[in-house]
Amino acid sequence: MKKLWKKGLLALLIKSTSVVALAVVASTFAISAQAATMTDSLVQNYASAMKSAANSKNINQVARLVSDDALISLSRKGKSTSLDKDAYLKLLQTGWNQTSNYRYEISINNIVTTGEQAKANVTTTESWVKDGQNVSFITNSRVTLTVATGNAV
């Protein structure tokens, strides 16, 4: 499966080391499609699938939407770390288990497709309740998506 790379951050660290949120469009993603041509529709379908997986806290669906060789970069308050897919999914699940009312919104615009790739602007809004406090983060980034063979996700 080919992968797609994203520049920027879509996962958020809250309080010291706890993480809630999802790099639903994290550092590396995979999109599958029948044809090897990227379309705006495939990009939007991917965003919809990630939104659905995140809002339902469906770790298995998130796992299917993130490439096996993903490297997810997280940054907060001047500290950065990189996680492989398994470590990221574990951290995400832990974060979800420590919070309530998790909501994830994603919007994609300025999509430019060329062959097997698309570049797009992504804005995510994540909100949740932790220790009785409402938390919300908005993240903007530019992503590159790549098509692989198979079914669209």
Side-chain angles (χ1 to χ4, degrees):
M1 177 165 300
K2 291 191 179 179
K3 55 190 170 186
L4 90 171
W5 298 97
K6 171 204 143 288
K7 296 177 183 173
L9 165 69
L10 293 181
L12 304 171
L13 293 171
I14 58 171
K15 293 202 172 182
S16 56
T17 58
S18 61
V19 169
V20 120
L22 130 108
V24 237
V25 220
S27 292
T28 305
F29 309 99
I31 292 181
S32 300
Q34 294 290 44
T37 302
M38 178 63 79
T39 65
D40 287 12
S41 179
L42 283 174
V43 173
Q44 295 296 345
N45 288 345
Y46 182 81
S48 293
M50 289 301 275
K51 177 180 176 180
S52 176
N55 284 324
S56 63
K57 297 182 182 179
N58 186 333
I59 201 70
N60 292 325
Q61 183 62 23
V62 171
R64 284 189 286 277
L65 294 168
V66 176
S67 177
D68 289 341
D69 58 356
L71 183 61
I72 294 98
S73 298
L74 307 171
S75 298
R76 177 116 203 264
K77 295 183 180 178
K79 295 181 181 179
S80 296
T81 190
S82 294
L83 304 171
D84 65 13
K85 178 181 177 176
D86 290 336
Y88 172 73
L89 293 172
K90 183 178 179 181
L91 192 59
L92 181 60
Q93 188 71 59
T94 300
W96 283 342
N97 290 338
Q98 295 175 355
T99 63
S100 61
N101 298 329
Y102 180 83
R103 299 302 314 149
Y104 178 86
E105 295 293 327
I106 182 171
S107 65
I108 298 180
N109 60 44
N110 193 20
I111 301 168
V112 179
T113 59
T114 306
E116 296 179 348
Q117 290 192 336
K119 293 183 186 265
N121 293 336
V122 175
T123 301
T124 60
T125 303
E126 296 170 284
S127 59
W128 59 90
V129 175
K130 181 165 173 100
D131 299 329
Q133 293 188 314
N134 292 322
V135 181
S136 182
F137 283 98
I138 298 173
T139 305
N140 297 296
S141 62
R142 183 81 175 154
V143 300
T144 300
L145 306 169
T146 300
V147 172
T149 59
N151 295 318
V153 285

